[in-house]
Amino acid sequence: MQAISRRLGHQSLKPAASLSSFKSIYPLSDHHYGADHPRHASSLAAKGVGHLIRKGTGGRSSVSGIVATVFGATGFLGRYVVQQLAKMGSQVLVPFRGSEDSHRHLKLMGDLGQIVPMKYNPRDENSIKAVMAKANVVINLIGRDHETRNYSFEELNHGMTEQLAMISKEHGGIMRFIQVSCLGASASSPSRMLRAKAAGEEAVLREMPEATVMKPAVMIGTEDRILNRWAHFAKKYSFLPLIGDGSTKIQPVYVVDVAAAIIAALKDDGSSMGKVYELGGPEIFTVHELADLMHDVIREWPRYVKVPFPIAKALATPRAVLINKVPFPLPAPKIFNLDEINALTIDSVVSENALTFNDLGIVPHKLKGYPIEFLISYRKGGPQFGSTISERVSPDSFP
């Protein structure tokens, strides 16, 4: 036994000879397998994100060098941003304050261990610092289109945003801060949410002048809060209320394009730092035209009830008044949201001289087609059933 052990020991001390004989048969070149080879180089610019360690081919199992904390990752836009980050090999820290199920769908988007859910309290500064401790990129997607008993527009869209910017500044290692606001955010807006968003933008740029601000228009996608609401209401009640006369102009944008714009800003040479981008789709619709498009896809005859602004505000005011005065939570508004009604009193389109998708090298999708294909689930009898446009007959023509 000792002789056998000695022989095995001598063999284990000679790995170089075995490796050299292997290389003689199958020669390997370090030049083709190094992280500095062009094929494995990251497209992320050092100027924008600092000196990062990168390796791999740029896919999901690579290392992009980005460690991003995405606040609001469990929301509508958040899932698309996380997916874009994860597929390029980034580690994504997902702060959440709800149940364990709120982030479950995000875990599958990245490689093993790359999507890291972290429970936090948005009102606890130490909790926020903990979820940002390892990050070098912060993306703030936090926002809501209605108030609740726990969070007002001002606290959610201004106070939290300012706090994140201050903590990022103190952190010292945050290379990029991207703030997602709303198109139309202005201190003079009739909407409280848009005024709060504008105050949040100002606070971010004051604390971190190198931050990038994205201002998307109303976003369209599978989980959106406009076409889904309209289609559900139209199917349930056979008509759709139009606030005002439906003539307000909007510039809806595909949510995947907004996520792509955020990633493009991270990948650039730092040219997007300190700038504000207005992200609108390639087409401008009136509310009436967008509702017609929705009805075309779900194959239902459009029946509208035009609700004047004063009446719409009167219908929406009780919830806004009672939200903090009753001892129980009120249901979220669907159609008659007072703040949205106020926002609809003015057009929401991209400014003439604003930076847009074109400045980020992105061509946004038109809505007609794939971006609204999810609406076929509302067709009665299934996707292949229901009246098509060519089969429509005016209800007045029936005897």
Side-chain angles (χ1 to χ4, degrees):
M1 289 297 293
Q2 293 180 355
I4 294 173
S5 300
R6 283 196 296 271
R7 283 198 299 273
L8 291 174
H10 287 306
Q11 290 177 5
S12 63
L13 292 173
K14 299 179 181 179
S18 302
L19 184 60
S20 61
S21 62
F22 178 79
K23 283 186 175 181
S24 65
I25 302 173
Y26 303 104
L28 301 176
S29 172
D30 293 337
H31 172 72
H32 296 288
Y33 289 83
D36 56 345
H37 189 269
R39 181 169 176 264
H40 302 279
S42 171
S43 59
L44 199 63
K47 180 180 177 183
V49 293
H51 302 289
L52 302 179
I53 300 174
R54 314 172 185 89
K55 64 179 182 179
T57 58
R60 144 191 188 109
S61 297
S62 304
V63 177
S64 70
I66 295 178
V67 181
T69 300
V70 183
F71 291 92
T74 57
F76 173 37
L77 174 60
R79 67 178 63 206
Y80 296 95
V81 173
V82 170
Q83 188 267 339
Q84 294 271 0
L85 286 168
K87 79 174 185 179
M88 60 187 281
S90 305
Q91 187 173 49
V92 186
L93 309 179
V94 179
F96 72 98
R97 62 182 183 88
S99 69
E100 297 289 337
D101 292 336
S102 62
H103 56 77
R104 183 172 57 181
H105 59 287
L106 302 176
K107 296 276 285 184
L108 306 175
M109 296 179 179
D111 209 353
L112 185 63
Q114 290 295 83
I115 310 297
V116 185
M118 303 181 71
K119 199 170 184 73
Y120 87 120
N121 180 357
R123 290 193 173 111
D124 182 5
E125 185 174 333
N126 291 328
S127 176
I128 297 174
K129 289 180 178 178
V131 299
M132 291 172 55
K134 303 291 185 181
N136 53 29
V137 170
V138 172
I139 302 174
N140 181 28
L141 311 178
I142 294 176
R144 180 168 282 180
D145 57 3
H146 62 274
E147 288 186 298
T148 65
R149 297 177 68 209
N150 296 322
Y151 295 99
S152 66
F153 284 130
E154 289 73 22
E155 181 181 8
L156 197 68
N157 298 306
H158 178 202
M160 288 185 184
T161 299
E162 184 174 22
Q163 186 179 36
L164 292 180
M166 292 174 64
I167 294 174
S168 298
K169 182 179 180 180
E170 295 171 3
H171 184 286
I174 302 300
M175 307 300 177
R176 295 299 299 269
F177 188 103
I178 296 182
Q179 166 68 16
V180 177
S181 183
C182 288
L183 186 65
S186 167
S188 59
S189 173
S191 163
R192 280 181 60 204
M193 185 199 73
L194 294 179
R195 291 198 298 270
K197 282 288 188 183
E201 293 175 24
E202 184 181 350
V204 167
L205 293 174
R206 182 175 62 249
E207 296 293 334
M208 299 190 70
E210 69 278 10
T212 303
V213 177
M214 302 287 182
K215 302 178 68 171
V218 57
M219 291 181 286
I220 303 297
T222 306
E223 306 85 8
D224 72 29
R225 299 184 183 93
I226 178 169
L227 295 185
N228 277 305
R229 287 179 180 174
W230 287 357
H232 184 268
F233 194 98
K235 294 293 290 185
K236 188 174 182 179
Y237 300 106
S238 300
F239 75 95
L240 182 67
L242 278 184
I243 308 300
D245 57 358
S247 62
T248 304
K249 293 181 180 179
I250 56 177
Q251 199 167 345
V253 60
Y254 187 31
V255 64
V256 174
D257 294 332
V258 178
I262 293 172
I263 303 304
L266 286 179
K267 286 183 175 180
D268 68 12
D269 59 356
S271 58
S272 63
M273 298 175 73
K275 295 182 179 178
V276 179
Y277 293 84
E278 295 189 6
L279 307 179
E283 300 168 301
I284 296 176
F285 294 85
T286 63
V287 173
H288 195 294
E289 290 169 346
L290 187 61
D292 281 342
L293 180 60
M294 181 271 296
H295 280 96
D296 285 344
V297 178
I298 68 173
R299 296 180 178 175
E300 292 287 343
W301 183 265
R303 297 178 179 87
Y304 299 116
V305 175
K306 294 184 178 180
V307 184
F309 281 111
I311 296 177
K313 290 179 182 179
L315 292 172
T317 297
R319 182 189 184 276
V321 172
L322 297 174
I323 188 168
N324 290 317
K325 296 183 178 179
V326 295
F328 51 85
L330 296 174
K334 300 297 183 183
I335 300 295
F336 294 101
N337 181 344
L338 182 59
D339 201 75
E340 285 186 354
I341 294 169
N342 289 330
L344 284 173
T345 58
I346 58 174
D347 296 338
S348 179
V349 295
V350 173
S351 305
E352 184 177 352
N353 298 319
L355 297 174
T356 63
F357 280 114
N358 293 334
D359 298 283
L360 294 168
I362 296 174
V363 179
H365 291 77
K366 291 186 176 181
L367 287 192
K368 295 179 181 178
Y370 181 75
I372 58 172
E373 197 174 70
F374 66 93
L375 288 173
I376 65 176
S377 62
Y378 291 96
R379 293 177 183 172
K380 60 184 177 183
Q384 303 303 323
F385 293 85
S387 302
T388 62
I389 298 174
S390 60
E391 295 170 344
R392 279 186 178 170
V393 179
S394 172
D396 298 332
S397 65
F398 286 99

